[in-house]
């Protein structure tokens, strides 16, 4: 197992009060596997990623365990964590326009990762930077080394971000909506590049996205989050064909028809409860068509339905055994969508 | 090259500004009531004597003729003769300016060395104890009158514990270094005169700190607000994600990005330091331009007033030109227009 995240609890201070942002988030990533994380804006996808790297805002309270290989990194000191960031675990962010330092050359920014984590000589580093630029498919690599981010297009800058992330051959690459800010053709190229790099390096990838098209294209497994909790996780085909959680079902239904260009997560009626004001029961209950009495009274436990499918929903709890069959049938008839 | 053309253009633009400054200063100082000739000759002067001296000094000419004559001399590098010291103004400037310039440079040096790291710490530890301490100190520095701070420092370090000298530029038993720039510390460095270096440095400490107190406070506050903005940027998070240490990110990425407003303020602060040296120079008996300028005004010594004004204006404009060039050095996105 490459990455094991267990019982992540995160609170952030807002207006003088600590509010819970992540609640009991657990998941795993294997070598050579891509885990997708999806969910509406504000559900805590980015915070999950940043919790792994411990790049959280000031005054964050984080509990739980993060294990990389056999090393528990959630207990490491700041100094030791710095050795892991950008080395064993790298991260790519959403907006390539603002994620690069505007005052440093491209070469300098890639080289910095090598300075921090390798013992290469200056000459070796320079060669390696050019190699990396070529590897991420950038033309005229030798000249680009001396250029500044503002001289490059969005797609090129995201490739530079990938080159920085790949500089030390990380075991795990965390991508927070890496293609959202790019246009469609460039998106496809970047995803292709990431797939290629994953295979060549046997990395694990966490892919945070709004785009179910991206999920279908690159992910092996998908985790669905809602208001700071994991509501469902399954192998990618399983999830698309047999979504269990009413929220997941809603997300999939909200996909526009095939042929429409954008396949982003659509909207489900109602709004997400604010982190300051979470219900005691299931957090989705207020928007859920199948909500029952118990859903508003207690939080559902996470149930392992099959080896590669888990869900946190009262509908599937054994205490609701009698209802289970016809609800599932009901859902399967609704979800005629394939991908 | 863009840079060279930019500098030349800016230097040419300096001329009309300087012309404007000479006109303003000349006409304003001539509206000051009082008669320089009478001041020079003293209370026992006869009206005839005064009239003769006025004629001699050209004070009876219409004011635009006086200005024309002054400018005619100026373009030939002649600042005229000081009516008070009876010396060429250029000689006086050469004598007093290096002391002021040295003090100003030293206080700017302290400002940068203390103000910027304080501002960075303050921003990085926003609302925590280090931030509160530096903010309090910055506020104190800005709010404290320089002459008062100077006197307090003198009382304590000179009179009470006696570890620092009470004034002047160098100990009386140490001979000043051979004059190259006129700045004692630099000249003694250049000539390898360690005794003079030590003595002149020690003499710089108290006046330097007194003068820098305000500017340290201003730069700290500016650095803090500029850095707060920068530290929220995505590229700062990228730098941490790469594995950069806090110091590396703060000083290797953030500072440079937050430098523009700090530089701008430094340009203004430099003018402030030059102009504000009068009080500090009096408290620490620093033989500089500030005291010379005050005397010049008291004795209606117009050529001296003009000389000081022009010199400070040139310096101020030059410093701001240098800062403009630094903007371009720091930020590759800027184009020389
Ligand atoms: N600096 C912060 N201080 C306090 N709360 C924050 C901070 N940043 C984010 N949050 C809150 O944390 C919650 C989770 O945010 P997060 O950025 O992880 O969402 P997300 O799923 O990545 O959304 P998106 O799809 O819009 O990127 C949100 O409720 C957000 O308001
Ligand atoms: Mg996000």
């Amino acid at each position: 197992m490459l990455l094991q995240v267990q019982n992540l609890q995160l609170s952030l201070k807002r207006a003088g009060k600590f509010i819970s942002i992540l609640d009991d988030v657990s998941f795993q990533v294997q070598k050579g596997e891509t885990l997708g994380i999806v969910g509406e804006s504000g559900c805590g996808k980015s915070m999950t990623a940043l919790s792994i790297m411990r790049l959280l805002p000031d005054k964050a309270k984080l509990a739980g365990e993060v294990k990389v290989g056999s090393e528990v990194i959630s207990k490491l000191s700041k100094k030791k964590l710095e050795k892991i960031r950008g080395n064993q675990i790298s991260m790519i962010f959403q907006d390539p326009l603002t994620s690069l330092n505007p005052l440093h050359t491209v070469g300098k920014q890639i080289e910095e990762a090598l300075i921090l984590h390798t013992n290469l000589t200056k000459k070796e580093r320079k060669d390696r930077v050019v190699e990396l630029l070529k590897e991420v498919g950038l033309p005229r690599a030798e000249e680009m080394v001396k250029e500044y981010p503002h001289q490059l297009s969005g797609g090129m800058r995201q490739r530079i971000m990938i080159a920085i992330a790949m500089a030390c051959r990380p075991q795990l690459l965390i991508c927070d909506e890496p293609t959202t800010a790019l246009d469609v053709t460039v998106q496809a190229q970047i995803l292709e590049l990431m797939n290629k790099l994953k295979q060549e390096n046997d990395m694990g990838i966490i892919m945070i996205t709004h785009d179910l098209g991206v999920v279908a294209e690159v992910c092996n497994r998908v985790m669905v989050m809602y208001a700071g909790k994991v509501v469902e996780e399954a192998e990618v085909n399983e999830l698309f064909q047999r979504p269990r959680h009413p929220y997941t079902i809603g997300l999939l239904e909200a996909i526009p028809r095939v042929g429409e260009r954008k396949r982003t997560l659509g909207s489900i009626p109602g709004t997400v409860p604010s982190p300051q004001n979470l219900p005691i029961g299931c957090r989705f209950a207020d928007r859920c068509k199948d909500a029952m009495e118990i859903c508003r009274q207690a939080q559902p436990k996470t149930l392992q339905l099959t080896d590669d499918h888990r869900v946190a929903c009262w509908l599937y709890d054994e205490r609701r055994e009698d209802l289970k069959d016809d609800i599932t049938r009901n859902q399967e008839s609704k979800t005629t969508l394939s991908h | 090259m863009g840079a060279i053309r930019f500098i030349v253009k800016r230097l040419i633009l300096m001329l009309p500004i300087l012309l404007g400054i000479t006109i303003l200063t000349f006409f304003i100082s001539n509206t000051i009531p009082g008669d320089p000739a009478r001041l020079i000759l003293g209370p026992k002067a006869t009206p005839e004597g005064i009239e003769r001296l006025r004629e001699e000094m050209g004070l009876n000419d219409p004011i635009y003729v006086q200005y024309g004559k002054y400018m005619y001399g100026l373009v030939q590098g002649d600042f005229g003769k000081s009516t008070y010291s009876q010396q060429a103004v250029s000689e006086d400037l050469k004598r007093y300016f290096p002391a002021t310039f040295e003090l100003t440079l030293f206080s700017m040096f302290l400002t940068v060395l203390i103000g910027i790291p304080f501002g960075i710490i303050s921003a990085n530890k926003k609302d925590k104890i280090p931030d509160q301490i530096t903010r309090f100190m910055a506020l104190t520095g800005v709010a404290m009158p320089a002459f008062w701070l100077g006197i307090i420092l003198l009382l304590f370090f000179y009179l009470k514990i006696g570890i620092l000298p009470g004034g002047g530029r160098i100990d009386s038993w140490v001979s000043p270094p051979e004059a190259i720039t006129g700045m004692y510390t630099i000249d003694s460095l250049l000539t390898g005169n360690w005794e003079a270096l030590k003595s002149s440095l020690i003499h710089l400490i108290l006046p330097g700190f007194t003068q820098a107190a305000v500017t340290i406070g201003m730069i700290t506050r500016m650095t803090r607000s500029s850095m707060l903005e920068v530290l929220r940027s995505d590229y700062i998070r990228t730098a941490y994600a790469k594995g950069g240490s806090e110091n590396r990110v703060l000083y290797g990425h953030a500072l440079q990005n937050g430098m523009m407003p700090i530089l701008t303020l430094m340009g203004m602060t430099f003018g402030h330091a030059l102009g504000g040296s009068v009080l500090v120079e009096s408290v620490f008996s620093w033989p500089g331009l500030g005291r010379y300028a005050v005397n010049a005004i008291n004795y209606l010594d117009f050529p001296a007033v003009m000389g000081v004004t022009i010199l400070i204006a040139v310096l101020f404009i030059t410093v701001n030109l240098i800062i403009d060039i630094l903007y371009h050095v720091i930020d590759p996105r800027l184009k020389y227009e």
Side-chain angles (χ1 to χ4, degrees):
Chain A
M1 197 57 64
L2 175 57
L3 174 78
Q4 255 176 305
V5 174
Q6 237 145 47
N7 310 107
L8 222 49
Q9 299 278 358
L10 174 69
S11 306
L12 294 179
K13 203 165 191 176
R14 211 191 280 169
K17 270 195 351 204
F18 275 102
I19 50 167
S20 163
I21 299 291
L22 297 178
D23 185 21
D24 200 18
V25 172
S26 304
F27 60 93
Q28 304 177 333
V29 180
Q30 260 153 1
K31 266 191 179 171
E33 174 189 59
T34 303
L35 170 73
I37 302 183
V38 297
E40 278 166 302
S41 187
C43 69
K45 305 181 296 291
S46 299
M47 287 300 147
T48 304
L50 294 172
S51 297
I52 298 171
M53 296 280 269
R54 263 200 273 154
L55 288 172
L56 295 163
D58 261 6
K59 296 182 191 129
K61 261 199 232 158
L62 182 66
E65 192 183 81
V66 179
K67 240 163 112 182
V68 175
S70 55
E71 195 174 15
V72 180
I73 65 163
S74 44
K75 296 281 180 297
L76 288 182
S77 68
K78 227 176 175 182
K79 274 268 151 293
K80 287 194 174 136
L81 197 66
E82 280 161 14
K83 295 257 169 295
I84 289 181
R85 287 182 189 150
N87 194 11
Q88 272 130 287
I89 311 179
S90 286
M91 193 158 176
I92 298 171
F93 301 100
Q94 173 170 353
D95 194 349
L97 300 185
T98 56
S99 294
L100 290 166
N101 186 335
L103 307 185
H104 289 180
T105 60
V106 161
K108 185 169 176 183
Q109 300 195 49
I110 302 176
E111 193 186 355
E112 189 176 16
L114 299 170
I115 293 174
L116 287 167
H117 303 295
T118 67
N119 299 320
L120 299 180
T121 63
K122 202 174 166 96
K123 170 87 180 52
E124 289 167 333
R125 288 200 303 263
K126 295 262 181 281
D127 294 344
R128 185 87 184 88
V129 168
V130 173
E131 256 170 56
L132 279 161
L133 284 173
K134 285 182 180 153
E135 194 177 333
V136 296
L138 284 167
R140 28 172 221 103
E142 278 89 357
E143 295 148 58
M144 198 169 282
V145 169
K146 292 187 221 76
E147 284 170 19
Y148 290 92
H150 73 275
Q151 295 167 297
L152 308 172
S153 71
M156 284 164 142
R157 289 191 225 184
Q158 197 59 298
R159 284 176 196 264
I160 306 262
M161 283 299 291
I162 296 175
I164 294 173
M166 292 304 297
C168 302
R169 299 282 165 225
Q171 297 164 277
L172 178 70
L173 182 64
I174 303 174
C175 311
D176 191 351
E177 310 196 30
T179 57
T180 311
L182 305 174
D183 67 50
V184 200
T185 42
V186 182
Q187 269 188 30
Q189 292 164 3
I190 295 281
L191 291 176
E192 197 178 308
L193 169 67
M194 295 194 11
N195 259 343
K196 184 191 101 178
L197 291 172
K198 179 182 87 170
Q199 270 148 27
E200 285 170 4
N201 297 286
D202 202 25
M203 287 188 297
I205 295 185
I206 295 178
M207 175 68 71
I208 294 171
T209 180
H210 275 120
D211 190 333
L212 290 173
V214 172
V215 172
E217 219 161 304
V218 299
C219 295
N220 305 101
R221 261 180 324 118
V222 196
M223 180 166 102
V224 183
M225 290 183 71
Y226 185 80
K229 283 182 92 73
V230 179
V231 294
E232 184 163 8
E233 186 199 324
E235 191 273 326
V236 64
N237 292 315
E238 166 83 4
L239 190 94
F240 275 108
Q241 277 153 30
R242 278 180 293 280
R244 298 295 184 165
H245 199 286
Y247 177 62
T248 316
I249 295 166
L251 285 182
L252 292 174
E253 274 178 351
I255 304 179
R257 256 162 255 292
V258 187
E260 271 182 55
R261 203 173 61 83
K262 269 193 119 148
R263 287 185 297 168
T264 49
L265 300 182
S267 55
I268 301 168
T271 49
V272 192
S274 84
Q276 284 107 319
N277 205 357
L278 292 170
I280 38 168
C282 172
R283 293 178 180 179
F284 187 60
D286 276 348
R287 296 167 78 185
C288 182
K289 282 175 293 195
D290 306 315
M292 302 166 293
E293 202 43 46
I294 186 148
C295 298
R296 299 183 203 280
Q297 285 158 5
Q299 297 212 9
K301 299 229 160 32
T302 302
L303 305 167
Q304 199 73 42
L305 299 178
T306 64
D307 273 355
D308 57 10
H309 201 154
R310 63 178 167 132
V311 66
C313 179
W314 278 115
L315 294 173
Y316 307 97
D317 200 286
E318 53 269 27
R319 280 162 282 183
R320 302 281 320 146
E321 196 63 67
D322 45 336
L323 268 175
K324 192 171 163 183
D325 282 344
D326 62 66
I327 287 166
T328 325
R329 200 172 337 107
N330 191 1
Q331 279 161 3
E332 262 159 4
S333 65
K334 272 194 242 164
T335 325
T336 44
L337 254 163
S338 64
H339 66 284
Chain B
M1 266 299 289
I4 307 274
R5 274 192 49 189
F6 174 76
I7 294 169
V8 171
K9 213 169 103 189
R10 288 289 298 268
L11 287 175
I12 293 171
L13 271 174
M14 229 166 120
L15 295 176
I17 297 175
L18 283 175
L19 187 69
I21 288 170
T22 57
I23 293 174
L24 269 178
T25 321
F26 198 89
F27 287 84
I28 289 173
S29 42
N30 268 285
T31 60
I32 299 174
D35 185 348
R38 186 183 291 271
L39 275 171
I40 291 168
L41 293 176
K44 294 203 194 86
T46 58
E48 297 80 46
I50 292 174
E51 192 45 43
R52 208 174 326 119
L53 187 58
R54 283 188 65 87
E55 196 58 43
E56 219 173 89
M57 289 168 73
L59 291 172
N60 288 334
D61 294 337
I63 187 157
Y64 56 87
V65 175
Q66 292 182 38
Y67 177 72
K69 280 183 181 164
Y70 180 79
M71 288 309 285
Y72 182 72
L74 189 64
V75 291
Q76 294 167 337
D78 180 7
F79 282 86
K81 207 173 102 184
S82 159
T83 56
Y84 173 68
S85 71
Q86 293 295 320
Q87 296 215 19
V89 169
S90 52
E91 281 308 309
D92 284 348
L93 293 180
K94 233 181 260 168
R95 182 142 123 235
Y96 296 114
F97 174 67
T100 293
F101 195 53
E102 182 174 39
L103 181 56
T104 305
L105 283 184
F106 185 69
S107 80
M108 287 305 289
F109 173 74
L110 290 178
T111 301
V112 170
L113 206 71
I114 298 172
I116 290 181
F118 270 31
I120 293 179
I121 292 168
S122 201
N124 193 41
K125 301 271 182 245
K126 182 171 179 285
D127 295 335
K128 293 184 193 147
I129 289 167
D131 181 28
Q132 263 139 17
I133 294 173
T134 41
R135 274 162 77 186
F136 175 75
M137 284 170 45
L139 195 67
T140 318
V142 172
M144 198 142 43
F147 71 93
W148 186 74
L149 176 65
I151 289 168
I152 299 284
L153 289 177
L154 264 185
L155 282 178
F156 187 72
F157 288 100
Y158 172 59
L159 288 177
K160 185 121 191 351
I161 58 175
I163 53 168
L164 289 172
R169 295 179 70 188
I170 197 159
D171 290 308
S172 51
W173 60 87
V174 178
S175 52
E178 191 188 324
I180 300 167
T181 63
M183 292 183 266
Y184 285 179
T185 45
I186 299 197
D187 289 348
S188 41
L189 256 183
L190 290 176
T191 54
N193 186 346
W194 309 125
E195 198 191 4
L197 179 66
K198 187 175 157 225
S199 177
S200 50
L201 267 179
I202 286 178
H203 279 78
L204 268 172
I205 295 176
L206 286 187
F209 262 102
T210 307
Q211 182 146 313
V214 177
T215 51
I216 290 174
M218 297 200 304
I219 291 284
T220 302
R221 282 147 60 109
M222 178 58 88
T223 306
R224 178 181 188 270
S225 68
S226 173
M227 289 300 268
L228 278 178
E229 181 106 17
V230 169
L231 290 178
R232 276 196 291 267
S233 325
D234 289 346
Y235 54 82
I236 294 300
R237 195 181 45 190
T238 307
Y240 277 120
K242 263 191 242 182
S245 65
E246 200 158 46
N247 277 338
R248 191 183 180 95
V249 175
L250 290 178
Y251 292 91
H253 290 269
L255 178 58
Q256 204 182 348
N257 276 284
M259 206 57 207
M260 295 292 164
I262 303 174
L263 271 181
T264 311
L265 181 64
M266 262 162 57
M268 296 187 322
T269 314
F270 192 85
H272 177 102
L274 274 177
S277 59
V278 180
L279 290 172
V280 178
E281 286 178 7
S282 327
V283 173
F284 293 96
S285 346
W286 194 262
L289 210 55
R291 295 207 307 177
Y292 179 71
V294 170
N295 269 337
I297 293 167
N298 283 338
Y299 288 96
L300 299 180
D301 185 350
F302 297 142
V305 171
M306 289 295 292
V308 172
T309 312
I310 292 169
L311 180 63
I312 290 185
V314 168
L315 206 67
F316 190 67
I317 296 174
T318 312
V319 165
N320 279 288
L321 174 59
I322 292 173
I323 283 173
D324 258 359
I325 296 169
L326 285 180
Y327 286 159
H328 291 82
V329 172
I330 288 177
D331 195 336
R333 289 166 299 184
L334 294 180
K335 297 230 158 54
Y336 291 103
E337 26 72 60

